[in-house]
Amino acid sequence: MNGAESLAFSSLNDLSWWLADPAEREATFARHRRDDPRPFVRISPQGEAGFWALTRHADVLEVSRRPDDFCSGEGGTQIFDQPEQLRAYRGSIIDMDNPEHARLRKIVSRGFTHQSLGPLRGEIDATSREIIREMPQGGECDFVSEFAALLPLRVISNMLGVPREHEQFIFNATNVILGATDAEYISDQSRAGIEKAVTAASVALIDLLSGLAEERVAHPRDDVISKLVAADEENLTPAELARFFILLVGAGNETTRNAITHGLLALTQHPEERDRWQADYERYAVSAVEEIFRWATPVIHFRRTVTRDGVTLGDQTFAKGDKVVLWYNSANRDEQVFTDPYRFDIARDPNPHVAFGAPGPHFCLGAHLARLELQVVFKALFEELPDIRAVGEPQMLRSNFLHGVKHLQARYTRP
Ligand code: HEM
């Protein structure tokens, strides 16, 4: 297969391909990993706005650890450059390079270390059980909106100090921002329609944040917003804080929601693995959750931009400004790294998946939190609703960025 002629892969930008047969998608990625791991994908017929698609685990690792050659700040980390009007709202640390990236990440990471999350375990457990109690008594629900979305949303809102009354508003706003390419969230799917709706949702979130920030300056509390607005010369400017807030409420709930939902789906489709985990929860808690992250790969890709002519990756040489896209979904099924990659195995070890990105300066800030959430959530679900299972087909988000499930029916009996 020749990279420049790799027509099948032009589908990468065709969102209906992402809603179609998953088996065909997996087969296409597998073929590329084997025969043509870095195809060039044309976006327009002239090919001026294409990108190199990296499908192998080794390449995703290498590019992530070489930010001087493959940067995040030139036009952002999505396939299409960020439109000018959105730069004021997007473009937090995920779309930055050093020195700003290091400066801001140091400030905001205070609240997300392994140690600082320790006390959260009990709170996440209590929140999980609270939501389970609120689930319909009748024994059937939309697992996404009535459980999986609420848990990370409540956890991140509590950490930040956002009152419960704003929960539904944040749910709707982040659906618009991160589910922008799906008509369920933005009915006008023209480019202008999407930009308008995403801008409106971002402005509304910033309004909410501004009110909270002002309040915390006057009356500090023990929450992340208070820490970030406290009088301290190292602190964030109001604009930096606003962009970081949008990143956090989006990254903090849309991704984890999908990991939880894919987890229930995988456990339903692999009852022998579920039985094994339910029989000895603690033994598999860490490895099962890692396998759910690998299996789900909630974030499908991020992009980098080549910083100078002559940058190489294996036998490939790039030019300044080339876009390279890291396909985490493909890396997480790489046969060179994972034995039997299409098997869902809750005891998989080692499991060097790249669901949170690969090691490097942008490795997911919320990885500890997401891991803790899943370890606690499935324990609560197994204890409170031991026979909960997915029924019917999941309704998938139309996206090549988030591996999202919009709706999934679940059935359960309360013991
Ligand atoms: C299953 C859950 C999650 C997944 C799959 C996920 C995935 C990712 C990925 C792939 C990246 C980019 C890594 C890179 O570019 O190299 C990232 C970055 C990031 N994530 Fe997550 N994430 C999750 C949960 C969270 C949570 C709960 C939070 C915060 C509360 C969070 C906050 C962030 C931030 C702030 C960044 C940017 C880090 C930087 O650029 O320095 N994420 N995440």
Side-chain angles (χ1 to χ4, degrees):
M1 213 178 327
N2 172 336
E5 297 304 322
S6 145
L7 290 180
F9 242 31
S10 60
S11 319
L12 278 182
N13 246 347
D14 169 4
L15 299 187
S16 54
W17 186 70
W18 287 89
L19 280 181
D21 184 12
E24 191 210 311
R25 221 164 38 239
E26 294 294 356
T28 306
F29 275 107
R31 257 196 327 275
H32 273 281
R33 282 195 300 275
R34 193 188 58 218
D35 300 333
D36 180 25
R38 305 177 192 113
F40 187 76
V41 179
R42 295 175 197 281
I43 293 178
S44 70
Q46 291 75 30
E48 72 269 12
F51 58 86
W52 299 94
L54 305 188
T55 58
R56 285 189 181 158
H57 189 274
D59 281 351
V60 169
L61 244 54
E62 188 165 343
V63 165
S64 304
R65 73 163 83 96
R66 285 171 50 193
D68 292 343
D69 292 337
F70 300 98
C71 73
S72 298
E74 289 291 326
T77 46
Q78 308 268 299
I79 290 178
F80 291 101
D81 283 356
Q82 249 174 39
E84 198 57 52
Q85 71 181 109
L86 286 184
R87 290 207 186 142
Y89 313 113
R90 307 291 282 270
S92 182
I93 56 173
I94 209 157
D95 295 326
M96 276 178 191
D97 298 309
N98 280 343
E100 290 119 295
H101 177 263
R103 179 190 143 250
L104 288 182
R105 176 142 176 154
K106 186 164 158 253
I107 298 173
V108 296
S109 56
R110 290 173 198 155
F112 293 90
T113 60
H114 198 45
Q115 293 88 319
S116 67
L117 295 177
L120 264 184
R121 182 176 281 273
E123 197 180 299
I124 297 171
D125 181 60
T127 308
S128 305
R129 289 173 205 267
E130 169 191 69
I131 299 171
I132 291 171
R133 278 195 302 277
E134 291 166 11
M135 281 161 67
Q137 296 302 316
E140 181 153 349
C141 71
D142 175 359
F143 185 71
V144 178
S145 61
E146 294 182 275
F147 183 80
L150 294 181
L151 189 272
L153 186 53
R154 278 188 198 172
V155 170
I156 194 76
S157 298
N158 286 346
M159 285 178 78
L160 291 169
V162 179
R164 176 75 59 89
E165 73 220 47
H166 303 297
E167 181 173 282
Q168 197 59 39
F169 162 74
I170 294 182
F171 175 74
N172 293 337
T174 60
N175 277 345
V176 168
I177 294 173
L178 286 155
T181 48
D182 192 300
E184 180 170 337
Y185 302 123
I186 301 180
S187 54
D188 176 359
Q189 280 289 304
S190 67
R191 207 160 173 164
I194 291 178
E195 278 177 28
K196 191 168 157 219
V198 170
T199 304
S202 305
V203 169
L205 277 173
I206 291 178
D207 284 349
L208 168 64
L209 168 76
S210 306
L212 293 170
E214 268 170 38
E215 211 178 287
R216 295 307 191 279
V217 169
H219 307 287
R221 293 194 204 161
D222 184 21
D223 58 40
V224 172
I225 295 182
S226 299
K227 277 193 197 125
L228 295 178
V229 298
D232 173 342
E233 76 228 18
E234 262 195 31
N235 258 322
L236 303 181
T237 64
E240 287 168 345
L241 177 65
R243 284 195 289 264
F244 185 62
F245 180 75
I246 291 183
L247 174 63
L248 267 192
V249 293
N253 75 75
E254 296 277 339
T255 50
T256 313
R257 162 209 304 193
N258 288 311
I260 297 171
T261 306
H262 283 291
L264 181 70
L265 197 55
L267 292 165
T268 305
Q269 290 164 344
H270 301 87
E272 66 303 332
E273 291 301 289
R274 179 201 178 113
D275 291 347
R276 186 152 75 126
W277 193 10
Q278 258 178 312
D280 194 347
Y281 190 86
E282 296 306 333
R283 177 168 174 198
Y284 297 111
V286 171
S287 60
V289 162
E290 293 309 311
E291 182 67 344
I292 289 174
F293 288 132
R294 183 188 77 91
W295 193 252
T297 312
V299 176
I300 299 172
H301 73 257
F302 267 116
R303 162 198 149 194
R304 300 291 192 264
T305 306
V306 174
T307 55
R308 57 185 169 81
D309 288 337
V311 164
T312 57
L313 184 67
D315 57 5
Q316 181 92 42
T317 304
F318 299 102
K320 181 175 162 57
D322 276 1
K323 296 175 179 178
V324 297
V325 178
L326 318 180
W327 294 93
Y328 299 125
N329 59 322
S330 179
N332 279 343
R333 298 289 183 276
D334 191 333
E335 315 51 20
Q336 301 292 321
V337 176
F338 300 100
T339 316
D340 212 353
Y342 296 100
R343 180 161 174 250
F344 179 70
D345 173 6
I346 63 157
R348 185 178 289 278
D349 181 29
N351 189 349
H353 68 77
V354 288
F356 295 111
H362 291 279
F363 184 78
C364 176
L365 186 66
H368 291 311
L369 174 59
R371 289 181 156 125
L372 184 62
E373 286 180 320
L374 262 77
Q375 287 169 23
V376 172
V377 154
F378 280 99
K379 184 159 196 263
L381 279 172
F382 286 164
E383 284 177 6
E384 304 286 337
L385 306 171
D387 68 353
I388 185 163
R389 66 202 178 283
V391 287
E393 290 298 309
Q395 281 186 42
M396 304 300 295
L397 182 72
R398 182 174 172 274
S399 173
N400 64 358
F401 174 60
L402 275 192
H403 189 202
V405 183
K406 293 188 296 181
H407 306 285
L408 177 70
Q409 283 302 111
R411 234 174 252 155
Y412 47 86
T413 44
R414 292 186 188 268

